Amino acid sequence: MKLFKYPAAALALFPVCVFAQEANEDIVVTASGFEQPRDETGQAISVLDEARLEELQATTIIDALRTLPGVAIATRGPVGSQSSVFLRGGNSSQTLVLIDGVRINDPSSPNAAFDFGALLTGNVGRVEVLRGPNSIIWGSQAIGGVINVQSLSPTQAVVVNAGAEYGFADSLRTNANISGSSGIFEGSVGGAFYRSDGISALAGGTEKDGYENLAANGRLKVNVAENFALDFRGYYNRGTIEFDSPFGVGANGLPVARNRQFIGYVGAEFDLADGRFQNRVSFARTDITRIGTDPVVFSFNNFDVKGTIDRFEYHAAFDIIDTVTLVFGAEHERTFASTSFEGAPADIARNQVTSGFGQLILRPVTGLTITGGVRHDDYSDYGGQTTLGGNIAYTPNGGDTVLRATYGEGFRAPTLTEGQPPFGNPNLKPETARNFDLGLEHQFLDNKAQIYATYFNRKSSDLIAFSFTTFQSENIEQVDTDGIEMGFALQPTDEMNIQANYTLTNAINRSAGANFGNRLALRPQHYGSLTIDWRTPWRLKLGASVLIAGDSFDNASNSVRLDGYALAHLRAAYPVNEQLELYGRVENLFDTQYVQVAGFNTYGRNAHFGVRAKF
């Protein structure tokens, strides 16, 4: 084991030993696709619930993700700009993103990576982050991990949430949501709006790049019978972003991208055998359109791109006996992409995949859970892929202490752009990875204190990259990644909450050639955060966050170094009464000048204030 090779400087970022909080949530869904106690899975999972998102006053989902272990972020300009998430040093294309359980990764983008720039927190009730491969349940792209964003769930009583915020760069954010139940119906529906004048995306520009976003969410469950329900979900996002392209005329260019995302889900849930046999049949559609316009002719910023995913699923969980659960399913997915530049005829690509998986969960003795599974995917354009995985979780004291061990395989199938002509290579193999984790989590002081540490190691093979020798995508890259996630959460009083994390990530290029031994781009070796929240005796709620990132590199050759940085944020909230709360925050308090991606701007000191209500 390589735990002792890391220099002491890895912990010198903090004056004390700093760990990362594992969310104190009992139930998770990303481990098996069904609700499951978190202490029954060996996989590392963190949860951001509605209360935590409000406490952090996060505008975007990535603002909240920055406070979690194992997460690195790269944003290319102001809010709304292209934003990438790297889990445990994996590529952004190796993170599977779900909204209300439906995959939203863009099949029309070159590597199907999800752009987090448009994903705001309005009407989001929960974010669940699984770190490490879980392709057994989720299939392709779940190498680095899985992020499941859930809109506000239906409630028993009628609940109305609403909010409005104004701040730096003439930004305005509003959202509203109503949820409730009546008879056999349970529903939640809402909308959110955001606009901002922004800043110049590229450094040195004088022209601001603004952003506007309109989103809508809806969920409806119809309980037809005690053991049968229909489930409907929908999400819509329409954004317009002014951006700067390093391949255009520079920082004062005027390209605009209009992006639309839609997911729809129709499902039926039914239980058999006195509730021991859960079944879910569903159809989901993901529809993404991106249109770019640029006054400059013959520009790659003039594009018209469309992508769709049609997915049919049957998933089941059968408690064979109290100590044995079988999770299994079958899926069929059809993917389509259309890409056109400068008004040229569109390049069309299609493929389909049929999959089956099975996972056995054993509880041989009290506190011990053993999980193992297998999956096979059969692709129409390049054949089959079989994936294995398993994990162990053991708690000797009812969840106060949990020991975890995981072995997981992951894969990412070539995208339509990578694998089909005119740009793709039909001979590509899927990217694959083998990962193992060893972790310990412990709660003490009557559950007012939590600590944990996890060691992870992943070897990735046949990574897909564009070759300037063959001028097409090739399986040419190998990457070794290992590191440590450590964390603690402390509640010294009922009114104070302290959370901190530190992650050490070594993501090393092992591909033959000039970049052998180099670190992967845009992934800091050291990263950590500290948040403190205090409810004062005068009802005023105060909070502070410190985000610390070590040095990183902007390119594969490691010739462009990005200096590390520390950001401090302050926030406050005052509940006027049980229904109404005023809040405000100052971000980047010390006006730190920092760079996440070479050549792109970041925000200096900025302030926002708002009001939110719940009835």
Side-chain angles (χ1 to χ4, degrees):
M1 187 176 290
K2 302 178 181 178
L3 288 174
F4 299 103
K5 75 175 185 178
Y6 301 119
L11 297 178
L13 290 168
F14 301 97
V16 295
C17 186
V18 175
F19 302 96
Q21 185 209 20
E22 278 295 281
N24 186 22
E25 291 288 334
D26 294 329
I27 302 298
V28 294
V29 297
T30 50
S32 66
F34 289 88
E35 291 187 351
Q36 179 182 11
R38 195 171 70 85
D39 60 12
E40 287 191 1
T41 176
Q43 295 175 305
I45 300 175
S46 296
V47 175
L48 295 163
D49 61 14
E50 180 184 1
R52 182 58 173 164
L53 293 172
E54 289 186 355
E55 189 174 60
L56 292 171
Q57 298 184 24
T59 299
T60 66
I61 293 298
I62 57 175
D63 291 334
L65 292 177
R66 294 178 198 275
T67 65
L68 298 181
V71 181
I73 306 292
T75 298
R76 294 162 175 80
V79 173
S81 299
Q82 182 184 355
S83 300
S84 303
V85 170
F86 310 99
L87 292 181
R88 287 184 170 177
N91 292 334
S92 58
S93 60
Q94 296 174 335
T95 297
L96 177 65
V97 183
L98 312 169
I99 295 182
D100 287 334
V102 181
R103 53 181 63 216
I104 192 70
N105 292 66
D106 185 358
S108 62
S109 69
N111 60 6
F114 178 71
D115 180 3
F116 278 83
L119 195 52
L120 307 181
T121 56
N123 300 335
V124 170
R126 179 183 170 98
V127 182
E128 191 170 314
V129 181
L130 182 150
R131 302 185 302 279
N134 194 13
S135 288
I136 301 296
I137 300 298
W138 301 107
S140 179
Q141 291 193 265
I143 290 180
V146 180
I147 298 177
N148 185 21
V149 180
Q150 300 177 35
S151 60
L152 290 171
S153 300
T155 53
Q156 289 298 316
V158 176
V159 176
V160 177
N161 293 275
E165 177 183 297
Y166 179 80
F168 176 77
D170 199 25
S171 63
L172 174 66
R173 178 164 65 119
T174 62
N175 67 281
N177 191 90
I178 182 170
S179 63
S181 302
S182 178
I184 64 172
F185 298 99
E186 303 174 20
S188 178
V189 62
F193 175 78
Y194 178 88
R195 68 157 306 279
S196 173
D197 289 345
I199 58 176
S200 176
L202 281 175
T206 58
E207 164 265 339
K208 296 180 179 180
D209 294 304
Y211 179 58
E212 184 173 292
N213 182 285
L214 177 65
N217 57 279
R219 300 174 67 172
L220 175 64
K221 189 173 184 180
V222 184
N223 299 297
V224 179
E226 183 177 358
N227 63 341
F228 181 77
L230 300 177
D231 189 5
F232 305 90
R233 310 172 198 169
Y235 171 80
Y236 176 82
N237 186 303
R238 186 187 70 198
T240 300
I241 177 72
E242 300 169 352
F243 67 100
D244 295 330
S245 170
F247 306 105
V249 298
N252 290 321
L254 299 174
V256 175
R258 293 172 174 84
N259 306 321
R260 184 181 65 85
Q261 301 170 332
F262 168 78
I263 63 167
Y265 174 96
V266 179
E269 302 173 358
F270 55 97
D271 298 340
L272 303 173
D274 296 325
R276 293 188 298 113
F277 190 7
Q278 302 176 63
N279 298 267
R280 183 173 68 238
V281 180
S282 65
F283 167 74
R285 181 176 179 87
T286 302
D287 192 323
I288 297 175
T289 300
R290 296 181 287 119
I291 299 175
T293 57
D294 192 338
V296 178
V297 296
F298 304 113
S299 166
F300 279 106
N301 296 323
N302 289 305
F303 56 83
D304 189 339
V305 178
K306 297 179 176 64
T308 61
I309 302 173
D310 290 320
R311 188 175 182 86
F312 304 85
E313 295 181 342
Y314 168 68
H315 287 190
F318 183 29
D319 294 326
I320 301 173
I321 56 177
D322 289 343
T323 58
V324 179
T325 300
L326 176 63
V327 178
F328 61 97
E331 305 166 352
H332 181 75
E333 180 179 290
R334 297 194 301 256
T335 305
F336 165 86
S338 170
T339 305
S340 174
F341 290 97
E342 279 290 339
D347 294 311
I348 304 295
R350 295 180 175 86
N351 70 8
Q352 55 186 335
V353 55
T354 301
S355 311
F357 67 90
Q359 186 178 69
L360 196 62
I361 303 174
L362 306 175
R363 308 170 193 86
V365 297
T366 300
L368 176 63
T369 305
I370 303 172
T371 301
V374 61
R375 180 187 183 95
H376 184 76
D377 296 86
D378 187 16
Y379 283 84
S380 60
D381 47 2
Y382 66 85
Q385 176 70 32
T386 300
T387 307
L388 302 173
N391 61 79
I392 299 174
Y394 176 63
T395 173
N397 49 17
D400 288 343
T401 303
V402 182
L403 302 172
R404 305 181 193 275
T406 300
Y407 170 79
E409 297 179 356
F411 76 98
R412 183 179 78 86
T415 67
L416 298 176
T417 300
E418 292 167 336
Q420 294 191 16
F423 305 109
N425 177 2
N427 297 317
L428 285 176
K429 297 181 290 184
E431 300 179 350
T432 59
R434 296 181 177 181
N435 177 92
F436 75 85
D437 295 359
L438 293 173
L440 168 66
E441 179 181 338
H442 181 61
Q443 301 182 62
F444 53 100
L445 298 178
D446 293 328
N447 294 336
K448 292 184 179 296
Q450 305 169 0
I451 61 172
Y452 97 100
T454 301
Y455 170 76
F456 60 89
N457 184 297
R458 181 175 66 247
K459 296 185 181 296
S460 302
S461 302
D462 293 322
L463 269 65
I464 299 169
F466 186 80
S467 170
F468 288 96
T469 301
T470 62
F471 291 97
Q472 63 180 6
S473 296
E474 300 284 357
N475 293 110
I476 58 177
E477 292 192 356
Q478 316 290 321
V479 172
D480 289 351
T481 305
D482 65 355
I484 303 172
E485 299 166 346
M486 299 187 295
F488 82 76
L490 178 64
Q491 193 175 2
T493 70
D494 291 340
E495 291 75 30
M496 180 172 286
N497 183 26
I498 302 172
Q499 303 180 17
N501 72 69
Y502 168 73
T503 303
L504 174 65
T505 305
N506 290 311
I508 307 299
N509 190 333
R510 296 300 179 189
S511 311
N515 296 323
F516 180 85
N518 289 349
R519 296 190 175 276
L520 298 193
L522 304 180
R523 270 145 279 197
Q525 183 182 20
H526 307 289
Y527 190 85
S529 73
L530 170 68
T531 63
I532 302 175
D533 291 276
W534 177 42
R535 186 188 298 269
T536 72
W538 313 281
R539 297 173 60 186
L540 180 67
K541 294 183 284 187
L542 300 175
S545 300
V546 178
L547 307 176
I548 300 179
D551 294 350
S552 60
F553 296 97
D554 190 74
N555 56 358
S557 65
N558 287 186
S559 60
V560 179
R561 179 183 291 272
L562 304 176
D563 292 336
Y565 57 87
L567 302 178
H569 307 323
L570 292 180
R571 54 186 179 273
Y574 183 77
V576 178
N577 52 42
E578 293 184 359
Q579 290 79 35
L580 190 66
E581 183 174 76
L582 305 176
Y583 69 90
R585 67 186 180 278
V586 178
E587 299 176 341
N588 194 358
L589 178 65
F590 300 108
D591 202 25
T592 300
Q593 303 300 306
Y594 67 103
V595 176
Q596 290 183 327
V597 181
F600 286 89
N601 266 332
T602 54
Y603 284 108
R605 184 188 301 111
N606 62 96
H608 306 260
F609 62 91
V611 57
R612 52 194 170 211
K614 180 177 290 189
F615 305 95

